[in-house]
Amino acid sequence: MISSRNPAKNLVAIAGAATTGFSSKNTPRSQASYAAEACTAVIRACGLQAGDIDGIVGTNPSAAEVQAMLGIPEVTFFANPPIPVGNHMAAAVAAVHSGQCDTVLVYHASYRLPWNTASALKDPFRGLGPSMAGPGPDTVGGVVGYTAWAARYMYEFGVPKETFGRIAINDRSNAVHNPAAAMRTPMTMDDYLSARMIRWPLCLLDMDVPVDGADAFIITTTERARDLALPPVLVNAVTLGMIDKNEEDQTPSLRHHGHQVVVNNLRAKSDFWTDGCDLYYAYDGFTPITLNWLENAGWCGPGEAGAFIESNWDAAGSRIMINGRVPLNSHGGALSEGGTQGSGYIREAVHQLQGLAGDRQVAGARTALLTLGGFFFNAQGLTLVRD
Amino acid sequence: MPDLITDLITDAELVRRFPGQPLSHDSAAHYRGRLARKLLINRCAACGTWHHAPQPICPACWSTDVVPTEVAGTGTIHLAVFLHQGPPAEGVDYSTPYPVVTVELDEQPGLRFTGTVVGSPNEAVAIGKRVTLDWIDRAGTPVPAFRLVESSAS
Ligand SMILES: [Zn+2]
């Protein structure tokens, strides 16, 4: 049930975050090597050692593989949740607050795979895995789902393609300032509108960039984080959200899916919402998801994302600056930093709140609102605050 | 549907006829229906609620007496995409974008089925148009599809 009950509020913290940076080309490295690089970087940045870690949460490679790879002697908690990475954060926060463990290593390694990029097929080590036989073209399941609902969004509100393009351009403009990003060449509306159509109405630049790379985090009690090397970022609230009719073609409507559950529950549990946030991150695996997050989170009304973006557009920076001060996806999002399945947004929010965001630093940022995931089976959200 | 001759097809043969489809003990009747060109959707015998994809229990009342039941096949296009690329499939040439529509069936609000559209140019296929069930053949196996109802075709 939607509830303001939140006994872990501000008592669990993200003590640090690290990234390998991302490449949109096949690299001669394994997924495990990226996980290892990000995990060792974040453990060192926090001033910890392998023996200090007693919880591990990640997907690929598995927690067991990471424990063996890094020689972490003993853990009392581990989990391999499905992506996106809000799931990992929710598991880590719950494990720390309940006392199942004290210090969790959370990681996510993105890896270019044959199902999302044909060129990945050229690397025999990336493999085809088990049978790739799919259900054929007569479905809106999987990657087609957001395209189908993008068409519905255009139908219901008369939205032009340029509105989707604003999301892609905003991300690219932010990625220009992010050395970890895979795509850093500025993008114009002409570039966007002339991109190859993949599945009408969405084109190549409406879809996230498959990348190689990894992010990693340390989650611990706020009390312990205060003794570590970096400023703690407190988890004000974290939630997942899903409804019963969660298959792509059975989802009831644009106003009834996982987003609304996340927004209602996260808002009830958090100390701030859109009015009080200095940073906003909205999932952009496909551009229509971001437009709908803006509307569903309450920045504007249904169908109004286009007008909202126009009135909050920073022409000089070619990007969104809400009320002239809150950037959207300051790292470049999945569309330009790379498809990190959620980890990039959280890592960037942590670095911004720690004052470690380099050229992209938002001066004095103290609060971040993150609405991650899509409509169907993976909506999630976090609110983070600087200690 | 004990009257269907397709009941004579073994489970193993059914799996062979539908490579890549989500076949299970719960969905087998739906796919046997396809071989007879009947679109069977699960309906609860206790409360009358329809659901799709096929599940072993009624999500409305938890009765396990769910009966694969033929639908009229009429409805309204709710979602529509045109694939400029996609998985290989016999008879599908993406040089003409392949239409895929999710149709809200007339039997129940929110009950939807997804398939392609035959018999009309892509320009005529749009959300809000009325359709009726049709069938195409792929590698000798019937695949449910939709056809625009004349009065709504442009
Ligand atoms: Zn029932």
Side-chain angles (χ1 to χ4, degrees), chain A residues 135 138 198 200 249-252, chain B residues 21 82 84 98 112 114 138:
Chain A
D138 306 272
I198 304 296
W200 185 94
D249 63 351
Q250 309 296 316
T251 288
Chain B
Q21 296 290 336
F82 301 89
H84 290 238
Y98 185 71
R112 305 195 194 121
T114 299
R138 182 168 299 147

Side-chain angles (χ1 to χ4, degrees), chain B residues 42-86:
Chain B
N42 270 5
R43 189 176 198 193
C44 176
C47 78
T49 300
W50 301 80
H51 74 260
H52 187 74
Q55 304 297 344
I57 188 168
C58 170
C61 76
W62 290 358
S63 167
T64 54
D65 191 4
V66 289
V67 182
T69 305
E70 187 169 7
V71 292
T74 53
T76 304
I77 297 178
H78 193 79
L79 306 173
V81 299
F82 301 89
L83 306 181
H84 290 238
Q85 62 184 58

Side-chain angles (χ1 to χ4, degrees), chain A residues 68-318:
Chain A
M69 181 167 70
L70 301 184
I72 295 170
E74 290 183 349
V75 298
T76 58
F77 179 82
F78 62 92
N80 303 288
I83 54 169
V85 180
N87 282 305
H88 304 56
M89 290 296 168
V93 168
V96 168
H97 187 64
S98 67
Q100 294 179 74
C101 60
D102 290 327
T103 304
V104 184
L105 173 65
V106 171
Y107 60 89
H108 178 65
S110 303
Y111 205 53
R112 294 163 52 82
L113 294 169
W115 61 264
N116 58 21
T117 160
S119 63
L121 273 169
K122 294 172 187 160
D123 179 353
F125 295 122
R126 288 169 200 255
L128 279 172
S131 167
M132 288 292 281
D138 306 272
T139 171
V140 295
V143 293
V144 187
Y146 291 103
T147 311
W149 283 97
R152 184 77 199 177
Y153 181 68
M154 295 170 79
Y155 169 82
E156 288 189 14
F157 299 108
V159 177
K161 265 314 293 287
E162 284 82 353
T163 298
F164 297 77
R166 290 285 192 198
I167 297 297
I169 292 168
N170 168 73
D171 278 339
R172 186 61 58 86
S173 299
N174 287 332
V176 167
H177 303 287
N178 177 7
M183 310 296 279
R184 301 183 67 193
T185 306
M187 183 195 301
T188 66
M189 187 60 82
D190 282 347
D191 295 334
Y192 172 79
L193 292 173
S194 59
R196 182 161 54 95
M197 188 62 69
I198 304 296
R199 308 173 190 96
W200 185 94
L202 299 187
C203 68
L204 188 66
L205 297 177
D206 288 301
M207 302 155 61
D208 65 5
V209 182
V211 290
D212 286 359
D215 291 314
F217 307 84
I218 295 294
I219 316 298
T220 188
T221 62
T222 296
E223 191 178 0
R224 177 154 169 66
R226 285 176 178 142
D227 294 334
L228 300 181
L230 299 168
V233 171
L234 313 190
V235 179
N236 194 241
V238 57
T239 189
L240 311 177
M242 189 156 65
I243 67 160
D244 53 353
K245 293 189 182 301
N246 52 44
E247 291 167 293
E248 292 88 341
D249 63 351
Q250 309 296 316
T251 288
S253 79
L254 288 164
R255 302 301 151 208
H256 185 192
H257 51 68
H259 280 195
Q260 290 77 23
V261 182
V262 165
V263 165
N264 292 337
N265 202 37
L266 190 64
R267 193 168 188 167
K269 285 176 164 46
S270 297
D271 290 331
F272 64 93
W273 199 245
T274 51
D275 283 348
C277 82
D278 301 325
L279 302 159
Y280 180 53
Y281 299 88
Y283 190 67
D284 58 350
F286 293 89
T287 50
I289 302 174
T290 319
L291 296 171
N292 278 272
W293 267 128
L294 285 168
E295 297 171 9
N296 294 328
W299 290 102
C300 58
E304 294 175 0
F308 177 81
I309 291 169
E310 288 304 318
S311 61
N312 289 280
W313 188 255
D314 165 20
S318 196

